[in-house]
């Protein structure tokens, strides 16, 4: 370890990880190649050689495919984050209070995501070809089997192997019962991730509504004899019929609002509990204020939807819209400031300075950190589009429907970016105050000279 005390401590730590074998890397490469081939095949069928008269994006079943894809992207991003943390020597296992037996390695996590992604893409291609009557006699059975089969595979992926999944479900339970559950770094991290999955959770709820609707087969099965322009044949087939039952029904709107509010409320309660036991207004009350502002954005959005269409809309709506924009931009800027100056601690808070902190663990140029600052701001602003009601979308209903899953993906990417720098800062400075000591050993097997990074960055 060349006299590096931190590296020596990391090497002597028990159960903090291990090396990846050549076989596991080869296995990941093969699965990744299969996934890439299926992606090209799917894009060719959907974009290059689409079915005439059939718009998959306008069918209710798209909620099943969009929500499933979003959950798979989450699995891929977790694996990539583990790769980034491990390569920099960030001891994520120590920070999360986990052992290597409780979580999958980076290669294993990516291999699991690749396997499920390959099944998902194959099912998507088969479904689309069945809609185009390419698969012949099995068409009528494909519409019934594939949508629930996709979710069945995702449920298995989320539960097994149980010995590696149960620790995360325990964290989720502690988040759900906030403020009565355990509040540690891992629980706060999971709650923050849930705040970025609001739209994904809404899609999951709509998907279950679609799958539990008795007419979901009729809603997504077309034949050569189907007249798509004939309204009399539109027996639950259209997106309008689905929305009347699920997404735009009374209970659907209520559920959507609850899904939007719950993660933010859980995270705010976690901050208030930490303030109650520590008595420190900074950072806990100020952090709780960040989530309170986000809750206000959701509440004003709900009220704005209630005002629209009423007799007082012409008088009240301009003021409500103005208040919505003010609260939203204050909340967005405050959340962005918290990301950069507190969660990442890129710049000093006691004075105005855009000079990066000297302690950095990623062996990249300082420009990468500044790019991350800009990307975080742009992605937070981009997320505003997903909050615009589809019926009032200024860019058009169809385009808004198509962009929504990509906006959800952009927010998950921003959260992954946030996670990379958040754990780096926690490793260096214990900024959240979750540990009694600031020292953290480097990740097991890490041979990089941390001291040289520190000196070079000064």
């Amino acid at each position: 370890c060349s006299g590096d005390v931190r590296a020596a401590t990391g090497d002597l730590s028990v159960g903090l990880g291990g090396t990846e074998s050549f076989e596991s890397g080869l296995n990941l490469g093969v699965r990744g190649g299969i996934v890439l081939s299926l992606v090209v095949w799917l894009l060719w069928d959907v974009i290059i050689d689409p079915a005439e008269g059939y718009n998959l994006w306008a069918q209710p079943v798209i909620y099943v495919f969009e929500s499933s894809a979003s959950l798979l992207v989450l699995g891929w991003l977790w694996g990539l984050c583990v790769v980034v943390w491990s390569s920099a020597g960030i001891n994520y296992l120590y920070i999360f209070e986990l052992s290597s037996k409780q979580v999958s390695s980076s290669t294993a996590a990516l291999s699991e995501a690749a396997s499920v992604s390959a099944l998902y893409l194959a099912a998507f291609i088969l479904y689309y070809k069945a809609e185009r009557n390419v698969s012949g006699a099995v068409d009528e059975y494909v519409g019934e089997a594939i949508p629930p089969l996709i979710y069945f595979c995702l449920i298995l992926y989320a539960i097994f192997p149980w010995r590696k999944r149960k620790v995360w479900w325990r964290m989720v339970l502690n988040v759900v019962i906030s403020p009565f559950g355990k509040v540690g770094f891992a629980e706060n991290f999971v709650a923050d991730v849930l705040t970025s999955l609001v739209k994904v959770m809404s899609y999951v709820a709509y998907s279950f509504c679609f799958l539990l609707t008795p007419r979901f087969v009729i809603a997504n099965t077309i034949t050569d004899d189907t007249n798509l322009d004939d309204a009399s044949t539109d027996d639950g087939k259209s997106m309008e019929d689905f929305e009347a039952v699920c997404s735009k029904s009374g209970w659907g709107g209520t559920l959507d609002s609850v899904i939007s509010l719950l993660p933010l409320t859980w995270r705010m309660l976690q901050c208030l509990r930490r303030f109650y036991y520590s008595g420190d207004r900074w950072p806990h009350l100020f952090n709780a204020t960040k989530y309170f502002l986000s809750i206000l954005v959701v509440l004003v959005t709900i009220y704005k939807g209630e005002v629209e269409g009423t007799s007082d809309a012409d008088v009240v709506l301009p003021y409500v819209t103005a208040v919505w924009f003010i609260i939203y931009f204050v909340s967005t800027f405050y959340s962005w400031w918290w990301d950069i100056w507190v969660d990442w601690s890129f710049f000093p808070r006691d004075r105005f300075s855009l000079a990066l902190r000297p302690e950095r663990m990623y062996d990249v140029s300082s420009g990468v950190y500044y790019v991350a600052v800009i990307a975080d701001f742009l992605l937070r602003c981009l997320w505003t589009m997903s909050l615009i009601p589809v019926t009032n979308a200024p860019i058009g209903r169809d385009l808004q429907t198509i962009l929504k899953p990509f906006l959800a993906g952009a927010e998950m990417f921003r959260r992954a970016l946030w996670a990379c720098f958040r754990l780096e800062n926690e490793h260096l400075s214990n900024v959240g105050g979750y540990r009694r000591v600031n020292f953290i050993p480097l990740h097991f097997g890490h041979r990089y000279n941390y001291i040289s990074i520190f000196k070079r960055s000064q």
Side-chain angles (χ1 to χ4, degrees):
C1 59
S2 303
D4 191 340
V5 177
R6 283 181 172 247
T9 305
D11 291 343
L12 293 174
S13 300
V14 178
L16 290 180
T19 58
E20 302 290 351
S21 65
F22 171 78
E23 290 78 7
S24 60
L26 179 62
N27 185 28
L28 173 60
V30 172
R31 298 185 189 191
I34 294 174
V35 170
L36 183 60
S37 301
L38 291 173
V39 168
V40 173
W41 187 354
L42 179 62
L43 292 177
W44 178 272
D45 280 353
V46 175
I47 299 177
I48 307 299
D49 186 26
E52 294 186 12
Y54 180 71
N55 183 7
L56 179 63
W57 301 103
Q59 303 302 316
V61 75
I62 195 63
Y63 281 104
V64 175
F65 292 112
E66 287 179 353
S67 60
S68 304
S70 298
L71 294 174
L72 289 174
V73 168
L74 185 64
W76 280 99
L77 289 175
W78 166 255
L80 293 175
C81 284
V82 173
V83 171
V84 172
W85 296 329
S86 301
S87 63
I90 297 173
N91 200 335
Y92 67 96
L93 295 177
Y94 188 96
I95 296 173
F96 284 126
E97 301 179 30
L98 300 173
S99 71
S100 58
K101 296 180 179 179
Q102 293 177 303
V103 295
S104 301
S105 64
S106 57
T107 303
L110 291 173
S111 295
E112 292 169 2
S115 299
V116 182
S117 298
L119 292 174
Y120 165 81
L121 291 168
F124 201 158
I125 293 171
L126 182 60
Y127 181 89
Y128 190 73
K129 287 186 175 298
E131 290 296 305
R132 300 172 59 186
N133 295 295
V134 174
S135 55
V138 300
D139 288 354
E140 58 181 302
Y141 302 105
V142 171
E144 299 178 5
I146 285 185
L149 180 61
I150 289 177
Y151 260 84
F152 178 73
C153 292
L154 285 177
I155 292 173
L156 293 180
Y157 175 52
I159 296 177
F160 299 103
W162 178 245
R163 64 185 179 86
K164 293 183 180 293
R165 299 289 192 265
K166 63 180 180 180
V167 62
W168 297 107
W169 285 112
R170 188 182 300 118
M171 292 177 190
V172 172
L173 177 61
N174 284 324
V175 171
V176 171
I177 62 176
S178 296
F180 306 105
K182 177 185 175 182
V183 181
F185 179 87
E187 287 73 22
N188 287 170
F189 182 90
V190 169
D192 277 322
V193 171
L194 290 177
T195 61
S196 294
L197 297 179
V198 168
K199 287 301 175 184
V200 177
M201 290 187 287
S202 295
Y203 291 159
V204 171
Y206 297 156
S207 298
F208 276 104
C209 176
F210 167 74
L211 294 175
L212 295 175
T213 301
R215 296 184 299 172
F216 85 90
V217 177
I218 299 176
N220 288 274
T221 303
I222 61 174
T223 65
D224 293 334
D225 298 328
T226 303
N227 183 3
L228 297 177
D229 297 325
D230 186 2
S232 63
T233 64
D234 193 14
D235 186 12
K237 180 173 80 296
S238 68
M239 182 68 80
E240 288 75 12
D241 288 335
F242 168 77
E243 291 175 342
V245 176
C246 296
S247 59
K248 291 188 178 180
S249 62
W251 72 269
T254 302
L255 181 61
D256 203 16
S257 301
V258 170
I259 290 175
S260 299
L261 289 170
L262 274 180
L264 297 170
T265 304
W266 291 333
R267 191 64 185 89
M268 184 181 69
L269 291 175
Q270 287 179 333
C271 297
L272 293 177
R273 170 173 168 166
R274 296 199 69 200
F275 166 71
Y276 177 79
Y277 282 104
S278 67
D280 299 329
R281 288 180 293 180
W282 175 267
H284 307 310
L285 280 185
F286 290 88
N287 201 10
T289 302
K290 179 183 71 172
Y291 297 103
F292 178 72
L293 288 173
S294 299
I295 291 173
L296 282 182
V297 172
V298 177
L299 292 176
V300 175
T301 303
I302 295 172
Y303 179 71
K304 180 175 178 290
E306 295 295 329
V307 170
E308 292 174 349
T310 63
S311 57
D312 298 330
D314 294 338
V315 178
V316 178
L317 194 57
Y319 297 99
V320 175
T321 302
V323 171
W324 184 89
F325 273 107
I326 292 172
I327 297 177
Y328 183 83
F329 283 112
V330 170
S331 174
T332 301
F333 184 82
Y334 185 49
S335 298
W336 173 74
W337 177 88
W338 193 275
D339 285 347
I340 308 305
W341 271 266
V342 182
D343 285 346
W344 296 353
S345 298
F346 279 3
F347 311 117
R349 294 191 301 271
D350 56 351
R351 67 185 187 279
F352 178 77
S353 174
L354 295 181
L356 286 174
R357 52 177 163 82
E359 305 87 0
R360 299 192 294 273
M361 297 188 69
Y362 295 121
D363 189 24
V364 295
S365 67
S366 58
V368 174
Y369 286 78
Y370 287 107
V371 169
V373 171
I374 299 173
D376 186 74
F377 178 77
L378 294 177
L379 289 172
R380 277 198 175 275
C381 293
L382 183 63
W383 185 239
T384 61
M385 295 181 63
S386 65
L387 299 178
I388 301 174
V390 176
T391 54
N392 299 325
I395 58 177
R397 177 192 177 87
D398 291 338
L399 183 58
Q400 178 77 352
T401 302
I402 294 173
L403 286 179
K404 271 197 170 185
F406 298 102
L407 296 177
E411 171 60 14
M412 287 191 291
F413 174 78
R414 188 200 67 81
R415 181 57 66 182
L417 179 70
W418 171 88
C420 291
F421 292 107
R422 177 66 184 89
L423 263 75
E424 180 203 32
N425 193 29
E426 186 65 22
H427 187 117
L428 290 172
S429 61
N430 190 22
V431 65
Y434 296 97
R435 306 183 309 276
R436 294 186 179 182
V437 294
N438 291 336
F439 175 79
I440 293 182
L442 290 179
H443 191 270
F444 179 82
H446 184 70
R447 301 293 181 182
Y448 204 84
N449 194 336
Y450 170 83
I451 302 299
S452 66
I453 298 176
F454 177 80
K455 291 180 179 179
R456 187 168 63 252
S457 62
Q458 286 183 314

